[in-house]
Amino acid sequence: MQPSPPPDDVVAARFLVSGEVQGVGFRAATRRRAVGLGLAGVARNLDDGRVEVLAEGAPAAVEALAAWLHQGPPSARVATVERSEAPASGWRGFEID
């Protein structure tokens, strides 16, 4: 998917989620939640056992996803969520990598 220039009212953030978050449907649940919020981006497993989430869209939607990531789907056990701001890159859709 080729990124396009983001509109001015888009914010982006990078989240690193640790705990029992791989092998429990975390990325798929994150995608469903992000799409429902109108966000674009990607969720991917990292080699160290964390899940990385890059999300961009309306500020309130990014905040809603951030709050949800602290809990995740029922099968997950989230320990920590680290957040950093990221440049909006014009993602289209929300992917699982």
Side-chain angles (χ1 to χ4, degrees):
M1 224 174 260
Q2 184 70 351
S4 62
D8 292 336
D9 60 345
V10 167
V11 298
R14 178 181 186 237
F15 302 93
L16 296 173
V17 186
S18 65
E20 190 177 326
V21 293
Q22 289 190 10
V24 295
F26 196 93
R27 291 175 302 152
T30 299
R31 181 184 184 281
R32 284 191 300 275
R33 179 62 58 137
V35 168
L37 291 167
L39 295 172
V42 64
R44 62 174 63 105
N45 285 339
L46 299 178
D47 291 339
D48 63 6
R50 296 181 294 175
V51 171
E52 177 186 42
V53 178
L54 300 171
E56 62 182 54
V62 172
E63 291 306 316
L65 181 67
W68 181 85
L69 288 172
H70 283 86
Q71 182 178 351
S75 55
R77 299 291 174 260
V78 176
T80 63
V81 178
E82 298 173 45
R83 178 182 180 161
S84 59
E85 298 310 309
S89 61
W91 284 94
R92 291 184 181 203
F94 199 94
E95 299 178 10
I96 295 175
D97 193 7

